[in-house]
Amino acid sequence: MSSNFRLLKLITAQEGRKAEQMWRAIAQQHGRMISGIQETLWKLVVELGVEFTVTETPDSAQFHVTGASRGNGARMGEPEWGY
């Protein structure tokens, strides 16, 4: 195994731990409510003008993007961003 590959594995593992800690903190802050996750995950796209609906059940929530301008990506500094 090359040293670059080992380094990549270490970095990936560390970043995974950071992400898990971040999501645990978000869950604690919002009482494990989907609204807190919605606010955290979708805040940026809402600010960029992306429109979506949310279908909630007692066990889940499903997000459906209903409108987005291709120009939204340019505001993010990512000219190719968009679907």
Side-chain angles (χ1 to χ4, degrees):
M1 184 182 314
S2 75
S3 60
N4 287 341
F5 184 72
R6 284 191 295 258
L7 179 60
L8 179 61
K9 283 182 68 172
L10 287 171
I11 291 170
T12 301
Q14 177 62 28
E15 291 303 311
R17 287 189 292 275
K18 285 182 190 177
E20 182 179 354
Q21 290 170 353
M22 179 191 74
W23 286 111
R24 286 183 185 275
I26 289 168
Q28 287 177 346
Q29 179 183 2
H30 295 285
R32 298 186 182 273
M33 300 298 294
I34 193 65
S35 60
I37 295 171
Q38 176 182 340
E39 178 183 322
T40 302
L41 285 175
W42 292 86
K43 183 178 181 179
L44 175 63
V45 294
V46 168
E47 290 172 359
L48 291 171
V50 175
E51 299 171 5
F52 63 94
T53 61
V54 182
T55 304
E56 295 186 46
T57 70
D59 300 322
S60 67
Q62 196 169 39
F63 296 84
H64 303 273
V65 174
T66 57
S69 162
R70 289 187 59 104
N72 290 341
R75 284 184 259 165
M76 291 178 62
E78 299 286 338
E80 270 90 57
W81 185 84
Y83 299 96

